[in-house]
Each structure stands twice: as C-alpha cells, then as structure tokens.
Amino acid sequence: MSFPRHRPRRLRSSPAMRRLAAQTSLEPRHLVLPMFVADGIGEPQPIGSMPGVVQHNRDSLRKAAEAAVASGVGGLMLFGVPRDEDKDAVGSVGTDPDGILNVALRDLAADLGDATVLMADTCLDEFTDHGHCGVLAPNGSVDNDTTNDRYVEMAIAQANSGAHVVAPSGMMDGQVAAIRDGLDGAGHTDVVILAYAAKFASGFYGPFREAVSSSLEGDRRTYQQDAGNAREAMREVALDLEEGADIIMVKPAMAYLDLIRAAADVSPVPVAAYQVSGEYSMISAAAANGWIDLHTVVLETLTGIRRAGADIVLSYWAADVAEWLA
Ligand code: PBG
C-alpha cells in the first residue's frame, strides 16, 4: 500500500487539529496515586530519593488523599510502614486490624466512602523483620503456600477495613486464587483483585525500599521475574486471569512496554502498569538538574504507557498530573 498524496503534517497543523487527531488520551481517571502511611512519626517524613513524596502520618494522609481525590485521580494505592519494633517473621502487623495500613484504610474509607477507589498493597515485605514478601521456610527460602495463607488473612483484613481493591504484589504462585477464595468465603465477593501479574526483579524499586524503610538484605529473585522473560510474563498473566484476577498489572512500566502491549492484546480485563519509584526518581533528578522539562517528560512517559495498552497507570505524579491536565 502506498499513499502518494498523503501529507501527514496536515494533521499537525494547529493545536485544534492535533487535538482532534490525537489517538491516545491521558485523563486523571486513568491514574492511581500510590501513598505511604507510617506508624509512629510526628511530621510527614520526606523520602530523600523521591523528592516531593513523603511518608504520611494518619492526618497528613487524610488531607493528601482528599486533595488527590478532588483533583480527579482514579484511585489511591496505600502502602503501610510499621514501626521497626513491630516487624516480625510473619508480618503480623500487616493483618492486625490495628496495624497502620488497616487503620489508615478505615480512616480513608470513612472520609471518602465510594468517592474514590481505595486500594491496598497486599504483601508482607513492609511488615516482616527480614523484609521478604513472604514467610521464610527453615532453609531461608520464601515458602509459597504458607505465604499465601498470610496473604488471604491480609486481604480479608484489608477488605474488612474498607479496601475496594486488594493488590497482591508478592508473586507467589496461586496467590490470586487463594485470595479470591478467601475473600468470597468471608463475604467480600465484591472486592476487586488487582494482580501484579508480571512483576520483575527490578533495580527501579530502589527508592521504594527507602520509602517503606525496608529491612531487606539480598534480593527477590526467587519470586520476582527475570527482566528478559517475556514468555514467562505472559504465562503469569494467563495464570492470574484463570485464577480470577479482575485487573492485571505489569511492573515496572517503562522498561516493559512490550509486555504491557502483549498483555493488553490478550487480556479480557483492564490492564494496569506501575511507573515505579526509580522511574519517578530518575525523571525527577534529571528535571531538577534542568536537563529535561518535568511536565513534558512526565506527560510523555504516561502517554507512552497508555499507548502501549495500559488502561490504568500507577504513578507518584498522579495527583500532580491531574492538576496539570485541569
Ligand atoms: C512489594 C512492592 C514493591 C513495590 C510495590 N509493591 C517493592 C518490591 O517489590 O521490592 C515497588 C514500587 C515502587 O518501586 O514504586 N510490596
């Protein structure tokens, strides 16, 4: 096929023409804001490697959440940061109704009701003293099925606290099926599972480890995926869909755009992508140096992630972008 008379620049001739011809949209409702809430802090604590992002206390979380929802973001994803002395081998404080994450979920559920979609990270790494996403076997490996039992308890605790969406991010085999059965058994048939389906062992999570005051030494390569494995990522997606995932996620985003596209091409449910902490830090640092323009680059990356096929994008800029787009 050739189109000898076609001059593509005609459709770029004015802002109005470009707006009309734009294929990919980026709207506040597509964006989810990840937020950190910490126990036992007075003032909100800045996260050095993520300028502009803080560990909230309960009060500052409520204010920031309300502002984010007012800006129009599609949802909030909550991560809890317990006191160090409350961490233990099985992450008890993650399932404790009085643990920081569950308390904060109740705060936001009371404040916001159904005005937003309240999501919770369903993972043990913030709550274990060893920092792994699961429970350790005697030989030090992460025990898959014992961990799933804990995820089920955690998901039920989060649903009881008002989470509309639970988001298992630990990459255990069978975690989605276990959580679905557990939620249904507890009467939470309407609670949505956003499954981190293809989650890679990534250097881009570095700043997040500071954000949640992680205790991890070592790495997560026995449960998170190798960067090069596309076929395996698609198998993880298929398994999570079979197990009942309502939304599937690819993470990180920018180094895995091909897999966002591949997942979007086959998924019968919405596809999410997570622009993770290191992606945020990298762009923030370059912009702070004056090397790139922050707004331009953030909008370009989010548009690119949407173009690759993501219906939903988690980004630490979600609320800022919602303001910029207003
Ligand atoms: C696990 C979890 C992690 C992130 C989200 N959920 C950390 C990890 O897997 O090591 C990373 C998010 C980010 O880097 O922004 N609870």
Side-chain angles (χ1 to χ4, degrees), residues 7 28 39 90 125 128-129 132 134 138 171 175 183 218 241-242 252 261 325:
R7 294 171 66 91
D39 195 11
V90 296
D125 61 313
T128 52
D129 50 15
H132 275 292
M171 293 297 284
Q175 62 185 11
L183 288 173
L241 290 169
E242 276 170 33
R261 167 46 56 204
L325 294 175

Side-chain angles (χ1 to χ4, degrees), residues 29-169:
R29 70 175 180 97
H30 297 134
L31 303 172
V32 170
L33 179 66
M35 305 182 85
F36 303 101
V37 58
D39 195 11
I41 57 170
E43 293 300 303
Q45 296 295 311
I47 299 163
S49 53
M50 300 178 74
V53 180
V54 302
Q55 289 183 349
H56 284 288
N57 61 36
R58 282 175 64 187
D59 277 344
S60 70
L61 177 78
R62 297 172 86 143
K63 292 192 187 95
E66 198 172 321
V69 171
S71 76
V73 298
L76 307 174
M77 172 70 80
L78 218 54
F79 293 90
V81 185
R83 298 168 194 252
D84 268 341
E85 59 266 34
D86 290 337
K87 296 182 181 181
D88 65 17
V90 296
S92 302
V93 72
T95 44
D96 183 344
D98 295 324
I100 183 64
L101 179 52
N102 293 315
V103 168
L105 285 168
R106 288 200 297 279
D107 285 342
L108 298 191
D111 288 353
L112 300 165
D114 289 339
T116 191
V117 178
L118 196 53
M119 309 182 179
D121 184 57
T122 309
C123 195
L124 291 172
D125 61 313
E126 292 95 9
F127 304 101
T128 52
D129 50 15
H130 46 72
H132 275 292
C133 292
V135 179
L136 302 185
N139 68 3
S141 67
V142 173
D143 188 281
N144 195 84
D145 295 3
T146 317
T147 299
N148 280 344
D149 293 344
R150 294 287 298 136
Y151 287 174
V152 171
E153 292 168 6
M154 197 171 186
I156 293 171
Q158 293 171 343
N160 287 341
S161 302
H164 302 114
V165 177
V166 297
S169 62

Side-chain angles (χ1 to χ4, degrees), residues 132 141-142 171-172 201 219-225:
H132 275 292
S141 67
V142 173
M171 293 297 284
M172 295 303 123
D219 62 54
R220 305 195 194 288
R221 292 183 180 277
T222 70
Y223 39 105
Q224 298 179 347
Q225 290 187 244

Side-chain angles (χ1 to χ4, degrees), residues 34 36 50 79 121-126 133 169-170 196 199-200 202 204-209 212 216 220 223-224 251 274-278 316:
F36 303 101
M50 300 178 74
F79 293 90
D121 184 57
T122 309
C123 195
L124 291 172
D125 61 313
E126 292 95 9
C133 292
S169 62
Y196 287 65
K199 177 173 178 181
F200 291 87
S202 172
F204 287 106
Y205 307 149
F208 177 94
R209 306 267 161 93
V212 298
L216 183 71
R220 305 195 194 288
Y223 39 105
Q224 298 179 347
K251 176 185 174 190
Y274 198 143
Q275 183 178 56
V276 302
S277 57
Y316 298 95

Side-chain angles (χ1 to χ4, degrees), residues 1-8 10:
M1 267 195 294
S2 75
F3 300 96
R5 305 188 65 83
H6 196 186
R7 294 171 66 91
R10 279 185 200 123

